Amino acid sequence: MRLKEEQIARLAEKVLGDLERAQLVQQKQGRGAVLAGIKAAIAKDIKQEEDLERDAEALLEQTLKAVGGQGIDRHKMLKMIKDKLAKERKIVL
């Protein structure tokens, strides 16, 4: 999922606002530093998912070439590969 920088910023604002309202965070640094950390975490997660998607597509193509691709549900196989890679890389989808 590709998000624009402004979408990530709005998401980070929402997350921090919700945490503050629920009194689940106590800031030791300024609000800007906390927001920057949340934005960085979101961007890192998105990058990991994009890398996972790209790697799963590549593995799928290799698999389809190896077996000829006959009778294989491409969508189902891609999901299986993504799930396996996510588990190996400890990524929560």
Side-chain angles (χ1 to χ4, degrees):
M1 168 173 57
R2 191 72 194 129
L3 295 177
K4 296 177 184 170
E5 189 65 34
E6 72 178 39
Q7 291 172 313
I8 292 173
R10 282 197 315 259
L11 182 58
E13 281 281 351
K14 171 91 171 99
V15 168
L16 183 56
D18 289 350
L19 290 172
E20 288 171 336
R21 278 188 291 286
Q23 298 178 350
L24 295 172
V25 293
Q26 191 173 35
Q27 296 177 24
K28 294 181 181 179
Q29 299 179 348
R31 193 168 202 278
V34 176
L35 278 173
I38 294 171
K39 285 188 238 181
I42 293 169
K44 180 182 174 191
D45 186 66
I46 290 170
K47 171 91 171 77
Q48 285 180 325
E49 285 188 41
E50 289 172 349
D51 292 346
L52 179 81
E53 180 78 29
R54 187 187 63 247
D55 293 347
E57 286 282 348
L59 278 172
L60 176 62
E61 292 305 320
Q62 289 176 357
T63 303
L64 291 176
K65 283 181 185 176
V67 298
Q70 299 298 330
I72 294 178
D73 182 348
R74 183 180 172 83
H75 181 71
K76 189 174 182 180
M77 180 67 99
L78 179 61
K79 181 166 176 16
M80 289 171 51
I81 292 170
K82 282 173 58 174
D83 289 345
K84 184 173 188 239
L85 287 177
K87 186 176 180 180
E88 289 173 0
R89 297 176 186 183
K90 297 180 179 152
I91 297 173
V92 177
L93 298 177

